[in-house]
Amino acid sequence: MVSKRKLSKSDAHGDSLIAELPQTKKSRISCKEKTSAEDGVVENDSVFVQLIKTAGITLNAGERQNDIAVDQAIFQKKLCQILRKHPFYPHVVQEFVSGLETHIKDRDQFRNCLLPCAPVQGEGTRNLVHSYCESLIKLLLGIETLQPAVITLLLEKLPEFFFDTVGSFGTNFPRLIVNQFKWLDKILDSKELVMKLMQMVSVSPAPIQHDIITSLPEILEDSQQSEVAREVSQLLKRDTRLTVPILDALSSLDLDAGLLAEVRQSAMVIVPAVKLEDLPVVVKFILHNIKAVDAVEVISALRKSLDLSSCILPLQILSSQRKLKSQPQTSSSTSEVSSSQNCVKLLFDVIKLAVRFQKGISEAWIKAIENTVSVSDHKVLDLIVLLLIHTTNTKSRKQIERVLRNKIPLGCVPEQLLQSAFQNHSLVIKDFFPSILSLAQTFLHSADPCVVSFGSCMYKQAFAAFDSYCRQEVVSALVTHVCGGNDVEVDISLDVLTDLVTLCTSSLIRYATFVKNVLDYTEKLNPQQIRKLFYILGELAFSQRQEDCYIQDDMHMVIRKWLSSTVPKYKQMGIIGAITVAGSMAAKRSKEDGCSLERTQQSEEHCRQLSILLDLVSYCCEQSPEALALYYDELANLIEKQKGNLDSQILERIGKSVVEDFSNDFVVDLTPAVDGVHLFPVKSLYNLDEDESQGTIVINLLPLLSQNSLVKSVDEMAIRNQGKKIVSPECLSPSFRLLRLYTTEQHNGSMEEIDALLGCPLYLTDLEIEWKLDSLAKQEREFLCSLLFHALNWFREVVNAFCQQQDLEMKGKVLTRLQNITELQNMLGKCLAASPGYVPPPAIFDCEALEAAPPVNAVGLVKKKKTGGKKQKSEGNKDSSADHSQMEENPEGNQPEAETTQLEKDTTEKNAGIPLVQLQSYNAFFRELDLEVFTILHCGLLTKSILDSEMHTEAREIVQLGPAELMFLLDDLCQKLEHILIPPAAKRAPFLKQGKACRNIGFSHLCQRSSQEVAQCAVELLKPLCNHMENMHNYFQALITENQGVVDGPRVNIQEHQLMSSCYQQLLQAFRLLFAWSGFSQRENSDLLRSALKVLADKLKPGETEFLLLEDLISDSFHYLLNFQHSVPNFQCALTLTQLLIVIAEKPVASWKKDKIASLAKQFLCQSWMQPSGMREKGSQFSNALHTLLCVYMEHTDNILKAVEDISSVGVPELINSANDGYSSTYPTLTRQTFPVFFQVMMTQLENSVRSIPAGKPSDSSEVQIEKLLHWNVAVRDFHILVNLVKVFDSRPVLSICLKYGRLFVEAFLKLAMPLLDYSFKKHREDVQSLLKTLQLSTRQLHHMCGHSKIHQDLGLTNHVPLLKKSLEQFVYRVKAMLAFNHCQEAFWVGTLKNRDLQGEEILSQDSEENDPGEGVSQLPREDPAEEEGDISGSEGGSENNDDDEESSE
């Protein structure tokens, strides 16, 4: 017993070795059936035990494995010899197997026989036994005489364990039994073994089936793989539970191509339904052994079937549970989420391995994503795979960047997709962080704002989803962009940091030092960027009490340095920085926490710092009007932005000084005479307050401007040295804006304290002097211009201030101020026309001086085209009026325009011929209108009752929003919507690099609002805009009826017509800009879109839109807008209406909408567009609009080829047969001037259309071939018609278009049509023959154009010739190859082709080249003998095949 115990101890080391083996893992038994005393060596007299022991293996009972004392090869050899030399051989074999069967009846002993033997490490045998030995059963299977019997025994033993749960005896017996058959050196009857195993699969439970199937690749011989694979694949269709083991086994087998494709298709079908944990195995098999030819098709099908939404379901369930129960997540839910994430990680690991080690997978996956056209078909999977390939395959990085650049602007990869990828799959995405950072940096360099926005979103999502290291890298990258100096990158990076500091303040504070370093690079930042930077730093510095004092100190030092500078730019930066930091300090006081004493001390300290800072800024600005104006504007912005969140002490301190300053500096009492000497006589104008007897105040504008002019010219430096405050009219509007915002903040929106400023007059001069401009000196003219600019800016700020007042009298005054603005603008236009080179006074102070300079061409003169709309009222009468007034409001606003028509007509006739400067170029010198101003559009008809002293109605005066005022508001609204809602890439590129800075001038208040806020405001304006548009519709419909359909009738007021047309155009443009906003595609803005559409739909079906589906709302809105088609007054309005309908229809496009748009576009093209003057519409603007509308028609028509044929074969012949100034009767927009536009669009659309015809394939049926041939036949016929039109319209633009697109058409024919002809020539010979014969005529004409270009030596045309001739030559040889492919090469012959001009006349000026052997030869039909001789130059493409010979060859 002692020796047995020693053996037991010695086996402990063997057990530990066995536990590390990969094939079988020894399980501990929780409860032992035998006591340790029973564990020991099996000893009996059976043949089996004795022979095994003699051969070198000791059989053990209990938990110990069998011991082997010799090498396993020696054991097998020795046992084999013993059996063969045994006197009872071969009967001893049967007895031996019987003994084995008896031995393994005991489960412990059976387990020991299935587990590896433990080598005995004795002193004499240390080097004889390998450290790893096979099990006894496997060793016996390696002996040929024993193998069949042992196999039979094992397979008979296997059913005993069918219903055993794994671990009941500590071991998975079925798996151990199956493992014995793996990797045998030789199997005597492999076929029999496999047959028995497959039979066992059909009857065994699922776990055993799994083990058998996955073991087959290690059991089968090579010759059996194909047969067994086919049999196993049949199981895939019968039992989906075995999908994973079957695919795992098949991926290790050598399958023929047919079977592989069949199994792959079966696997593809089950991808959507497979369990998440099984998905990686299925995908691995699908990606296994893909051929390059099939890769794109297979991966396209796979990406359609893969849906990651099932992977994020556990996360969503967990999130909803936590929200409902507000309880911490349980261990089970945590493990479920973890398991889900791990499965997704495994899935992408499989894809990553395929991309890395299988050639062509990455290219195919990129191509599959690239080929996906529909926006809704793009998935999170696509984005993650692109990031995976970008990380794994460095060669594909440029291609991936290109794909994303193309997809992002189309909305295929929206930011919601990116957010979903980061939020739901951060575990996977984190591995691709270097690629994310690289792509984000690249995208921020892009010129496309959509791509730039996507890059910024990548930064934000990476910061939110990843760990501290990744966050540090994100902040470093953003700071690098800010310091780089590129305006777009700086803006977007600061915007990202602003979002991060708002949403993740506590996380960003750790990296505040990185952000602070930007202070060293502020030289390249503009004022708006300085504001953003100091907002970020202020939020970080004052978010905690003491930790970030060093940031506060650095900011204060920089601000003090800038404020004390004499350089205007630095002083400007100091003012903006100081006020922005002051805002952060003042706003944070209400948010501090902690004990009350500490909070009070902190508040007092902040208040002291704020007071010092504001005093410093005020002192440094007193002697610079521009700096002081900026100070006022920044304080006003601070109050507006922090509305309701500013400390009352700070607000009171600001207000006390501003009220005193404004009243002292700019307001005086109205007196009959004004002291002082001025350039012009002072006169009080624009007084809206009737009672002057009670001390009316007046804005002291002209005297201040005169005084300021004297100061600048005489003793400005002296006044500066005296330290006196300079009062300048430049500060008038900013000071009033600050006063207004302070007043509304202090009095909860009430304006009673300052309402006198709405109607008070201004000290100006008699503006009738505009008729004597030529007699004024330059200084006087420029003084008058400055006076008008200041007056206009005052009125604009007054309208900003009082636009939201509900009092009817004040509403009337606001409308009157709008009339004053339009009148003054007309006067200013005339004055500017007489003052070339004049630079207006600044009105916007948060931009650099050079940015606000007017362009050189701004002073160009144009003839006045429109009037202010209202007759100027006599100011003297206003001022002397002592009546009282009361207001009545008619909200309908559908008043007739007839009352003002004659007045406008008279004014227009009076002003006819006076030059006028367009004021759009001077937007930088006008104060910005707030979005709230557009609430005036809600105003209907206001009737002002003028009463006498006894309160009896004396007269009624109509105060209304006239066309000129409406045009003024709409023009500004469209500019704002275009600026904030439409990406700048969609607009014309600005001149050089200055355009980016100039683009934001005049929109500084607007840019502080998000695009969502602006869109919300615009949606609220839709109802009044609809009312105004309906008024326009009624006006033009009435005009058409009145003039019996004649646009240029004698009763039409031309100026009024033009003004109303402009209003109509701007109304349509406002609708288009709003609905073209890309933000409507975002899920969070879907309610806003519904609200907008409901306004339009409610006009069509009042009260029925509340519960309509989105598609129904779109349909009703579309039909409502479609009703305006009959009243559009000019072609530009027609185009805008069509574009508006397209934008509405894109949400989403239905076939009927497409047909409607095509029909509408054709209707507009077939309409004769006349101006009220009787002239047809023409010019570059009309041509551009015509080009756009024609493209719309071609893109939306159901048959482009038919449309091209209709225009070219119907409209153009009508034009040819008309007079020189005539037009096509079917298409009146087609004239000789617009023919190049039609020709270019038709050639472009024809070429695009043929590229959409699929290339011919050998597998195409006869019907498919006929259909494709028919398409090509129509296309070639259209091409022939268009090319031959050059004989009639031979202008240079037409020739250039024909040469360019003619080459592209021939190239498309070579690529797509010639393969079709290869396979259809024999079946459809006559169709092919006709097709080539028609194309031959076109290519000859192209050859003649090449000759014409050379003769005229036109560089613009000859640049196209080499590429065109190359394509024509390729075509000749491709036709020859096609004939050879169809065994008709004898039908091909070559002749020489002469150079001819456009009319077909021979060019005789190249005799020296006739004998040049270096030119190519041409291919000609024999029926044209005139071209069988002559010059051979340039003949590479001017010929075709001989169709008659083709026919005879058959």
Side-chain angles (χ1 to χ4, degrees), residues 432-577:
F432 314 137
F433 176 71
S435 286
I436 293 170
L437 206 60
S438 172
L439 285 169
Q441 290 171 346
T442 303
F443 289 163
L444 251 64
H445 294 300
S446 173
D448 191 323
C450 297
V451 178
V452 173
S453 175
F454 191 84
S456 69
C457 190
M458 293 180 79
Y459 277 129
K460 285 187 279 191
Q461 294 298 325
F463 187 90
F466 297 155
D467 56 20
S468 58
Y469 165 75
C470 297
R471 289 177 175 177
Q472 179 177 313
E473 291 297 311
V474 168
V475 174
S476 299
L478 290 171
V479 169
T480 303
H481 285 301
V482 174
C483 300
N486 181 289
D487 272 343
V488 176
E489 292 182 38
V490 172
D491 281 331
I492 200 70
S493 302
L494 288 173
D495 289 340
V496 172
L497 286 171
T498 302
D499 290 341
L500 293 180
V501 82
T502 304
L503 301 173
C504 317
T505 310
S506 58
S507 300
L508 193 63
I509 286 175
R510 300 176 59 184
Y511 315 102
T513 306
F514 293 92
V515 183
K516 182 183 70 68
N517 291 336
V518 180
L519 289 173
D520 299 331
Y521 297 88
T522 51
E523 184 74 25
K524 298 179 181 180
L525 303 184
N526 62 40
Q528 290 82 4
Q529 293 163 352
I530 291 289
R531 186 183 292 114
K532 292 178 185 177
L533 173 63
F534 275 91
Y535 172 77
I536 295 164
L537 291 173
E539 292 293 304
L540 293 175
F542 297 100
S543 60
Q544 295 184 356
R545 295 198 185 89
Q546 301 296 330
E547 294 181 10
D548 302 298
C549 287
Y550 70 97
I551 302 178
Q552 300 177 23
D553 295 341
D554 286 352
M555 284 194 298
H556 283 301
M557 284 191 295
V558 171
I559 288 170
R560 288 192 185 96
K561 183 176 71 172
W562 284 346
L563 287 173
S564 61
S565 173
T566 57
V567 180
K569 177 183 177 181
Y570 292 126
K571 188 178 288 291
Q572 181 189 61
M573 292 162 60
I575 294 168
I576 293 173

Side-chain angles (χ1 to χ4, degrees), residues 765-782:
T765 188
D766 186 2
L767 295 178
E768 293 295 327
I769 202 169
E770 62 174 305
W771 300 103
K772 307 173 185 178
L773 289 174
D774 294 338
S775 62
L776 298 178
K778 178 183 178 183
Q779 181 186 3
E780 293 173 329
R781 289 197 301 268
E782 293 188 349

Side-chain angles (χ1 to χ4, degrees), residues 1417-1435:
V1417 292
S1418 282
Q1419 167 195 2
L1420 292 173
R1422 291 179 182 172
E1423 64 267 21
D1424 191 3
E1427 296 196 8
E1428 291 182 17
E1429 59 184 12
D1431 186 20
I1432 59 173
S1433 65
S1435 59

